[in-house]
Amino acid sequence: MLKRKIINRLAEWKAGPNKLALLIKGARQVGKTFIVREFGKANYKNFIEINFEKQPSARRAFDGDLDARTIILNLSTMGLGPLEPGHTLVFFDEIQSCPQARTAIKFLIEDGRFDYVESGSLLGINYREVSSYPVGFEEQLDMFPLDFEEFLWAKGITTTVLQELYESYIQAVPVDKFLHEQMMKAYSEYLIVGGMPSAVKTFIENDDFSQTLKMQRSILNSYRDDISKYADKEKVLAKKMFDAIPEQLNKKNKRFILADLEKGTTAKKYENASMWLTEAGIAYNCFNVSALEAPLSFNAKRNLYKLYMLDTGLLCAQGMPGIQNLLLSGNINVNEGGITENAVGAALAKKNLPLYYYDKKSRSELDFIFVENGGLAIIEVKSGKDYKQHASLNHIYEDAPGKISRRIVFCKYNVETGTSGVVYYPLYMAMFL
C-alpha cells in the first residue's frame, strides 16, 4: 500500500466536531477510491461503498423524496451491509453521476446517524446539473498524484533522511554530497515515473520503465476517452489542447500559443476547452501577471498562460519518445527545461497555491510568483549549468526590494546562498515549499 499524506487529513476530519460530509476531488486515477476504502475499513465498524458509475441502479435510491429517512430506507434495501448509527461510513463514489445524491447530502448530514464521504473526478463533476449544492454541509478536499516525498516513501527512504533534507532546506545549508547525489538520481526517476499511484506501484514492483510507460499510456488513453465522454461540444478543442501540452512546453518561453493549434483562432474560442482541462484536474493553468502586486489574481491576464500537465510522468509518456533515458542519465535540461518547470509547477499546485508567472518583455521573465508572509516569493527553475545567471531575478529585486520576501532558484546543484541573497535549492526540495 502506498503511503499518502491525505490519510492524515481524513483522520482529522473523522475526529473533528460537527462533522460535515467530505468531498474528495481530483483527476481520475490519483487514488481517491483506494484511500477512502482503506481508511473506511480501518476506522469504522461498517463501511458502505456505492459507486454510481459501476452501480447505476443505485441512483434510483435518490429518484423520489430526498428526506434522510426515505434515502436510508432505500439504501438499506440494496443489501449493502449493516447501517449502524455512529459506527458506519457511507462512501458515495463517482458522485458526479448522481447529482441528486449530492443534493441529498444536506439532509443526510442533518440526520446525523452516519458519516459520509463523497468522491468525484473533476471530469464531469462541474458539468452535471445539481439542483441544490449542499453549501454549509460539505467540506471539500483536493487530491493529487504522489509528490516527491510520497514517492521517496514508496522507495523505502526513511523519515530520518527526509528530516535531514528538511532541516537543510530550512537552514539553507548544503546536504551531504552523497545524499544529494542519491536524491537527484531519485528525482530523475520521479520525473519519468511521476506520481500516478498505478505507475508508481508498477515501477516499484517491477523496477522496469517499459512496464511503467505502458501503464502511463493507458492512463493517458483513459483521459482522452473521458474528454470524449464528458467535454460535450468542447471535446475536439480540449483534445487538441491536451495533446499539444508537450510541444508547447518544449518552447523557450513555455507560453501556450493557440495560433500553433489553429491559425487565426481566438482565445475566446478555446476558453471553455482550457477551463475544462483545468477543472478536470488533468492540467494546471499558470497565468501571466501584469504587475508584482498582491493579490496577484487582480493583475492576472487570463489570455496569457502556460499549461502544465498534472504529472511529469504522463508528460514524458505523452509525446516525448526516448526522453526517459536522457532524464535517467542526469540530463534534466532536455526540452528547454520544460519538464523540470512542469514538476515545480505541479509541486506548487499540490500546496494549493495558484500558479502565476511574470513576463515583461523589456527585461524580466520570472517562472513562478506566489504570496508569502505578506510579500512575494519568486521562483526561477534552472535545469542547466547556467543556474546562477538570473538577470530577471536581479532586476526585479533592484526595482522593488520591499515587495520581495525571498528569491529562490531551483536547480540540480546543492543548497547555496548567493551573495545577493538568492537561495539555490536542488529541485527535489520543491516538495518543502
Side-chain angles (χ1 to χ4, degrees):
M1 176 180 172
L2 297 174
K3 182 181 176 184
R4 301 299 304 271
K5 294 177 181 178
I6 198 172
I7 203 77
N8 296 327
R9 296 290 303 278
L10 290 171
E12 290 171 3
W13 166 78
K14 184 179 186 299
N18 304 316
K19 201 181 296 100
L20 308 178
L22 182 65
L23 174 65
I24 302 178
K25 304 185 299 179
R28 287 204 191 274
Q29 302 194 47
V30 296
K32 301 185 299 298
T33 300
F34 180 83
I35 204 72
V36 175
R37 188 178 293 156
E38 291 297 312
F39 177 80
K41 291 178 179 179
N43 291 275
Y44 288 84
K45 183 178 177 181
N46 306 303
F47 175 68
I48 307 298
E49 178 179 346
I50 302 171
N51 185 308
F52 289 112
E53 288 194 353
K54 290 182 179 179
Q55 302 163 270
S57 61
R59 303 171 196 170
R60 294 169 60 190
F62 301 87
D63 281 348
D65 293 338
L66 294 183
D67 62 282
R69 182 180 178 278
T70 300
I71 293 169
I72 292 169
L73 182 62
N74 290 343
L75 294 177
S76 67
T77 63
M78 295 173 61
L80 298 168
L83 287 162
E84 185 177 349
H87 301 283
T88 303
L89 176 64
V90 180
F91 177 32
F92 294 144
D93 199 6
E94 301 297 356
I95 197 167
Q96 75 275 1
S97 293
C98 185
Q100 285 294 86
R102 184 93 184 274
T103 299
I105 283 295
K106 172 184 176 180
F107 311 110
L108 294 172
I109 293 300
E110 287 178 331
D111 174 72
R113 278 181 278 175
F114 314 114
D115 290 350
Y116 295 90
V117 171
E118 312 156 83
S119 177
S121 303
L122 288 183
L123 294 163
I125 201 167
N126 291 334
Y127 298 87
R128 296 292 183 108
E129 286 296 326
V130 178
S131 59
S132 176
Y133 285 95
V135 177
F137 295 88
E138 187 180 74
E139 177 183 346
Q140 299 192 9
L141 181 62
D142 291 315
M143 188 170 182
F144 301 93
L146 279 75
D147 65 16
F148 183 55
E149 187 172 11
E150 291 171 318
F151 180 77
L152 292 176
W153 291 344
K155 284 176 62 68
I157 303 300
T158 66
T159 54
T160 302
V161 170
L162 290 164
Q163 184 61 34
E164 185 173 339
L165 294 174
Y166 181 69
E167 289 175 2
S168 175
Y169 169 80
I170 292 297
Q171 298 171 20
V173 296
V175 179
D176 174 80
K177 182 179 179 182
F178 177 76
L179 177 56
H180 170 71
E181 291 172 352
Q182 293 301 108
M183 287 300 101
M184 281 306 302
K185 180 181 177 182
Y187 191 74
S188 295
E189 292 177 350
Y190 178 65
L191 293 177
I192 300 167
V193 176
M196 302 302 287
S198 56
V200 174
K201 189 171 183 289
T202 300
F203 173 69
I204 296 298
E205 292 178 352
N206 299 284
D207 200 22
D208 184 345
F209 285 115
S210 63
Q211 293 298 316
T212 305
L213 183 59
K214 287 180 182 178
M215 179 59 68
Q216 291 166 332
R217 286 174 174 165
S218 174
I219 295 171
L220 288 168
N221 287 334
S222 72
Y223 281 176
R224 292 188 182 96
D225 290 343
D226 280 328
I227 291 172
S228 296
K229 181 178 179 180
Y230 289 109
D232 297 327
K233 60 186 178 181
E234 281 86 31
K235 62 187 177 183
V236 173
L237 302 182
K239 273 187 179 180
K240 270 188 180 182
M241 295 190 76
F242 179 67
D243 289 334
I245 292 174
E247 181 183 355
Q248 296 286 320
L249 289 177
N250 201 36
K251 301 181 302 185
K252 188 172 182 179
N253 66 5
K254 314 293 186 301
R255 186 160 69 84
F256 202 97
I257 305 297
L258 292 172
D260 293 343
L261 277 63
E262 181 183 345
K263 288 184 178 180
T265 193
T266 62
K268 187 172 180 60
K269 179 178 178 179
Y270 279 84
E271 182 179 8
N272 289 337
S274 173
M275 186 183 301
W276 192 92
L277 291 174
T278 55
E279 288 287 345
I282 60 179
Y284 304 130
N285 264 327
C286 182
F287 291 107
N288 178 270
V289 290
S290 57
L292 296 176
E293 300 284 351
L296 293 169
S297 59
F298 285 11
N299 298 296
K301 297 179 178 179
R302 300 286 164 174
N303 63 326
L304 299 177
Y305 57 87
K306 302 176 185 180
L307 200 59
Y308 298 116
M309 185 74 74
L310 86 157
D311 181 74
T312 58
L314 296 182
L315 176 65
C316 292
Q318 187 179 21
M320 302 179 176
I323 203 167
Q324 290 85 354
N325 290 332
L326 291 172
L327 288 170
L328 196 60
S329 68
N331 184 10
I332 61 174
N333 195 34
V334 292
N335 87 311
E336 295 285 351
I339 295 173
T340 50
E341 187 174 312
N342 195 119
V344 173
L348 289 167
K350 289 181 176 72
K351 304 292 184 181
N352 288 309
L353 289 168
L355 303 183
Y356 298 104
Y357 75 99
Y358 182 75
D359 183 359
K360 193 173 183 179
K361 292 185 178 180
S362 58
R363 62 173 184 169
S364 299
E365 296 179 12
L366 305 170
D367 292 332
F368 298 104
I369 307 165
F370 61 96
V371 178
E372 179 186 66
N373 299 326
L376 298 176
I378 299 176
I379 293 175
E380 283 279 79
V381 182
K382 300 282 189 179
S383 54
K385 295 180 179 179
D386 62 344
Y387 68 106
K388 290 190 177 181
Q389 297 178 21
H390 39 72
S392 296
L393 211 55
N394 299 338
H395 289 154
I396 289 297
Y397 190 70
E398 291 168 4
D399 292 344
K403 297 179 182 179
I404 311 303
S405 59
R406 61 172 172 158
R407 293 165 291 155
I408 299 169
V409 173
F410 282 116
C411 59
K412 63 181 180 181
Y413 299 96
N414 212 327
V415 183
E416 180 183 352
T417 302
T419 55
S420 63
V422 176
V423 182
Y424 303 93
Y425 285 117
L427 282 154
Y428 55 80
M429 285 192 177
M431 64 182 171
F432 295 137
L433 280 167

